[in-house]
Amino acid sequence: MPITVTGAFDDGATYTVQITGRADRPVIGSHRAAALVELHQGEQVALTPTGPMKAVAGDDEGSVLALLREYTNVLEEGGSVPRRVGVPRG
């Protein structure tokens, strides 16, 4: 089951994507979010606030989600992860 993520970039632009778990197309629904994932492929990202670190890979849903959490303001997650609603940063 894909993970659906709704969030916002630092400039306030919002997005909703599905994390697919596919290396050839890690996210669908936002060209900007897809470009962000592509830009950071292979970089280390913390899977949780306290770690562990893992390289971002398109076929690894957890690392893609962690990347979105690190570089955008994730407001809501749904699907195969627990639903989480956040408060936008001010």
Side-chain angles (χ1 to χ4, degrees):
M1 170 185 249
I3 300 168
T4 301
V5 177
T6 300
F9 294 97
D10 287 341
D11 64 3
T14 60
Y15 68 89
T16 298
V17 295
Q18 284 190 339
I19 300 174
T20 65
R22 293 175 31 202
D24 64 328
R25 197 164 180 199
V27 296
I28 55 173
S30 165
H31 294 292
R32 190 169 171 188
L36 180 69
V37 173
E38 184 177 329
L39 178 68
H40 293 284
Q41 288 271 355
E43 290 182 15
Q44 295 290 313
V45 65
L47 296 180
T48 66
T50 58
M53 299 296 284
K54 187 166 191 182
V56 175
D59 60 353
D60 180 354
E61 294 164 323
S63 69
V64 172
L65 178 57
L67 176 83
L68 292 174
R69 286 178 182 155
E70 184 169 328
Y71 287 97
T72 71
N73 184 18
V74 172
L75 303 171
E76 189 172 350
E77 302 167 12
S80 62
V81 296
R83 193 171 185 82
R84 196 173 95 177
V85 176
V87 177
R89 292 181 276 184

